[in-house]
């Protein structure tokens, strides 16, 4: 049984309360909010096995400050009431009332903190669609105008990756307008505040839901401030759902490309057809239904990171892929109207990384693995799954008088039972079914932590048999509860004695 984490010791909260004395020295509500946001960001992004870190630390800090009954404590509670999570804000507001009634001195900014009015919203973005910088301006009742800039990266699943605040609003807006005027690849447009809120809420949810998101180092300092400023924008904005590309629509697009002038010089038409299928699938499934969107960053991510991890390519496809991608860039750009300079930069990137692609892509058959065996383990071509599937079903060749392992399909439940029966000849049907349930999860990567924990245990010297039986015990104890399963796996991963 995993233990629930204990709250931090009081010494940690005492140190934070000492740091909160800085709030008594500032006069601006904006400065106060930024200080409180930085304090709340101390634990942002931390993941606990069985507890919400905002509850364990954030709400415990509120309770500690309520007991302190000092001006610094009241200042901190006032800030948390404006910037905390809904639960933290409610607790902080309730805790502040008795302190005010007792005559504890309030900071001068207390009546204005959080009382902002949204003014204008803009988006600064490149023509590729790689990143959006949402710029929202606010005032405190017409005073202390400031801007919040939030960067959304569409090559990182559309998450927020950075944020910052400026009090020089006119200078910032002037810079953005000038950049759009002088750079043919940049745009700067006003957007409705409700739409800005909808975009920011969706992007922030992706960041918050990602374990170890690739954000800038300082983003945690601004997270609470961003969350509060988004709430200050008017609701009601609607975002269009990503377009749906079914098999027929994808096949039609591929056929149109292969019949185009841009694809005319592709010599191996069979390999080109399979390569363009991969390009279209990537755009549809991993870029918000935008197969025609091309950019230097997207092409680099596709060639150097996604293909080498996820896709099993034949030697002919490996050779053809950069050429097909370059032809696709020209064809797609013509259809979307990408400026000529954007096309040139994207093609330059494709040719610059072609040599790196040859080094980054490692065909598993070059390591001595039989291609037929690899194809049995990867019927879906998911190269990333090779190691975990070989761990789930290591016996795929040979056999005995009753079973020819080379004829069995490890993706088929019936054949999986035969493979597991061969591996465990003395096991009863109940035990085989338990192995089957686990093997199916490992094969599917459900949950992803299953394989990452297995790798950690292998690195510590545990053998495959003992790891499988630990996992089977955990599956039985958690009884299909995904949260309990994740907690148990992470506890096993983090236990140095295991």
């Amino acid at each position: 049984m995993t233990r629930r984490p204990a709250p931090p010791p009081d010494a940690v909260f005492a140190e934070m309360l000492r740091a909160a004395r800085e709030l008594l020295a500032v006069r601006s509500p904006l400065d106060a909010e930024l200080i409180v946001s930085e304090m709340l960001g101390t634990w942002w992004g931390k993941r606990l096995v069985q507890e919400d870190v905002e509850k364990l630390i954030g709400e415990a800090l509120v309770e500690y400050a309520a007991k302190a009954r000092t001006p610094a404590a009241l200042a901190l509670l006032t800030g948390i009431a404006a910037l905390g999570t809904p639960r933290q804000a409610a607790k902080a507001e309730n805790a502040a009332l008795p302190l005010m009634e007792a005559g504890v001195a309030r900071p001068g900014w207390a009546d204005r903190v959080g009382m902002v009015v949204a003014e204008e919203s803009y988006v600064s973005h490149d023509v590729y669609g790689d990143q959006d910088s949402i710029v929202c301006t606010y005032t405190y009742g017409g005073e202390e105008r400031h801007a919040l800039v939030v960067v959304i990266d569409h090559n990182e699943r559309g998450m927020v990756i950075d944020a910052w605040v400026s009090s020089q609003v006119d200078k910032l807006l002037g810079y953005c307008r000038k950049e759009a005027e002088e750079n043919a690849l940049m745009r700067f447009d006003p957007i409705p505040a409700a739409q800005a809120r909808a975009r920011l809420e969706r992007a922030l949810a992706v960041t918050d839901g990602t374990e170890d998101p690739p954000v800038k180092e300082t983003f945690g300092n601004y997270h609470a401030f961003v969350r509060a400023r988004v709430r200050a924008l008017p609701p009601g904005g609607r975002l269009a759902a990503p377009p749906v590309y079914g098999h027929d629509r994808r096949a039609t697009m591929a056929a149109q490309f292969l019949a185009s002038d841009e694809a005319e010089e592709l010599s191996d038409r069979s390999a080109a057809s399979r390569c363009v299928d991969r390009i279209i699938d990537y755009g549809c499934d991993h870029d918000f239904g935008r197969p025609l969107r091309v950019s230097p960053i997207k092409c680099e991510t596709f060639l150097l990171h996604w293909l080498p991890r996820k896709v099993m390519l034949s030697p002919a496809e490996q050779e053809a892929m950069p050429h097909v991608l370059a032809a696709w860039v020209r064809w797609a750009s013509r259809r979307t109207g990408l400026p000529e300079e954007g096309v040139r930069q994207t093609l330059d990137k494709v040719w610059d990384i072609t040599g790196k692609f040859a080094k980054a892509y490692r065909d598993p058959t070059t390591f001595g693995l039989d291609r037929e065996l690899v194809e049995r383990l990867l019927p879906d071509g998911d190269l990333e799954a090779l190691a975990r599937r070989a761990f789930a079903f290591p016996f795929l060749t040979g056999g005995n008088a009753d079973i020819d392992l080379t004829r069995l399909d490890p993706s088929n439940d019936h054949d999986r039972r035969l493979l597991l029966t061969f591996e465990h000849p003395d096991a009863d049907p109940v035990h085989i079914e338990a192995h089957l349930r686990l093997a199916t999860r490992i094969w599917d990567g459900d949950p992803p932590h299953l394989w990452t924990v297995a790798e950690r245990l292998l690195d510590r010297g545990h053998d495959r048999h003992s790891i499988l039986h630990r996992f089977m015990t955990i599956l039985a104890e958690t009884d299909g509860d995904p949260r309990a399963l994740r907690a148990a796996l992470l506890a096993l991963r983090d236990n140095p004695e295991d």
Side-chain angles (χ1 to χ4, degrees), residues 223-284:
H223 180 266
F225 187 90
V226 171
R227 182 175 58 202
R229 285 299 183 271
V230 170
R231 291 198 297 255
L233 295 169
R238 293 186 178 182
L239 301 178
V244 177
Y245 283 82
H247 177 270
D248 290 346
R249 191 175 180 186
R250 298 185 192 199
T252 299
M253 183 177 291
Q256 291 172 340
F257 164 72
L258 292 170
S260 69
D261 292 341
E262 288 84 358
E264 186 176 5
E265 296 183 2
L266 298 174
S267 56
D268 189 335
R269 306 297 288 183
S270 178
S273 176
R274 294 190 296 273
C275 287
V276 76
D277 285 344
R278 299 296 189 184
I279 294 170
I280 293 172
D281 287 345
Y282 179 75
C284 293

Side-chain angles (χ1 to χ4, degrees), residues 73 107 116 122 134 142 172 197 234 243 250 254 257 298 300 331 340 344 346 357 391 395 404 422 493:
V116 294
Y122 305 87
I134 306 292
L172 170 67
R197 175 171 177 162
R250 298 185 192 199
F257 164 72
K298 181 179 178 181
E300 182 174 8
W331 182 76
E340 188 61 34
R344 184 190 67 78
T346 305
F357 170 67
F391 179 80
F395 301 102
D404 181 2
F422 175 84
R493 181 197 68 183

Side-chain angles (χ1 to χ4, degrees), residues 403-438:
I403 299 178
D404 181 2
L405 299 180
T406 61
R407 300 175 65 86
L408 298 181
D409 178 3
S411 67
N412 176 276
D413 271 357
H414 176 268
D415 288 4
R416 285 175 176 175
R417 285 189 178 85
L418 295 178
L419 288 167
L420 293 169
T421 300
F422 175 84
E423 184 181 354
H424 307 91
D426 299 325
D428 59 46
V430 174
H431 193 69
I432 293 296
E433 287 300 313
H435 270 288
L436 178 61
R437 287 191 293 273
L438 174 59

Side-chain angles (χ1 to χ4, degrees), residues 148-165:
L148 170 66
V149 183
V150 182
V151 182
I152 299 173
D153 192 329
H154 296 291
N155 291 304
E156 292 288 355
R157 298 189 296 117
M159 70 174 64
V160 173
I161 62 165
D162 196 11
W164 50 283
V165 176

Side-chain angles (χ1 to χ4, degrees), residues 169-384:
V169 178
D170 291 336
K171 184 176 180 180
L172 170 67
L173 297 180
Y175 172 82
C176 292
R177 292 189 180 102
K178 183 178 180 180
E179 183 183 38
E181 292 170 358
E182 297 179 352
N183 187 340
L185 301 182
M186 291 299 298
R187 302 287 185 268
F188 185 64
D189 304 305
I191 57 173
Q195 187 186 59
R197 175 171 177 162
R199 289 195 192 188
L200 291 170
E201 285 180 334
R202 182 171 68 181
L204 197 59
V206 177
T207 304
D208 289 342
T210 301
E211 190 166 339
D212 194 22
V215 298
K216 298 296 183 181
E217 186 176 353
T218 58
F219 174 70
N221 296 343
Y222 292 99
H223 180 266
F225 187 90
V226 171
R227 182 175 58 202
R229 285 299 183 271
V230 170
R231 291 198 297 255
L233 295 169
R238 293 186 178 182
L239 301 178
V244 177
Y245 283 82
H247 177 270
D248 290 346
R249 191 175 180 186
R250 298 185 192 199
T252 299
M253 183 177 291
Q256 291 172 340
F257 164 72
L258 292 170
S260 69
D261 292 341
E262 288 84 358
E264 186 176 5
E265 296 183 2
L266 298 174
S267 56
D268 189 335
R269 306 297 288 183
S270 178
S273 176
R274 294 190 296 273
C275 287
V276 76
D277 285 344
R278 299 296 189 184
I279 294 170
I280 293 172
D281 287 345
Y282 179 75
C284 293
D285 300 334
H286 301 279
D287 191 27
F288 305 97
R290 298 184 294 177
L292 294 176
R293 188 182 83 83
V294 295
S295 78
I297 295 176
K298 181 179 178 181
C299 289
E300 182 174 8
T301 301
F302 174 73
L303 274 184
L304 300 188
H305 302 288
W306 189 74
L307 279 177
R309 285 193 305 110
K310 299 294 292 184
V311 179
M312 179 74 177
L313 297 175
S314 69
E317 291 162 1
Q318 296 171 44
E319 177 68 25
M321 182 59 80
H323 303 278
V324 177
L325 181 58
W328 178 267
V329 167
R330 292 190 291 269
W331 182 76
S333 297
R334 178 165 56 84
R335 298 187 63 165
T336 61
L338 183 68
E340 188 61 34
E341 177 62 16
V343 179
R344 184 190 67 78
Q345 290 189 15
T346 305
L347 288 173
D348 285 349
K349 173 60 69 172
V350 171
W351 297 127
D352 285 346
I353 62 177
T354 294
K356 294 180 181 179
F357 170 67
K359 296 179 180 178
Y361 190 88
R362 289 291 182 263
D363 186 334
T365 61
T366 63
F367 303 146
L369 297 176
D370 178 72
R371 178 166 290 275
E372 185 275 336
L373 178 63
V374 172
E375 290 175 350
R376 288 167 67 197
L377 288 168
L378 304 178
D380 53 0
D382 185 357
L383 194 56
E384 192 175 38

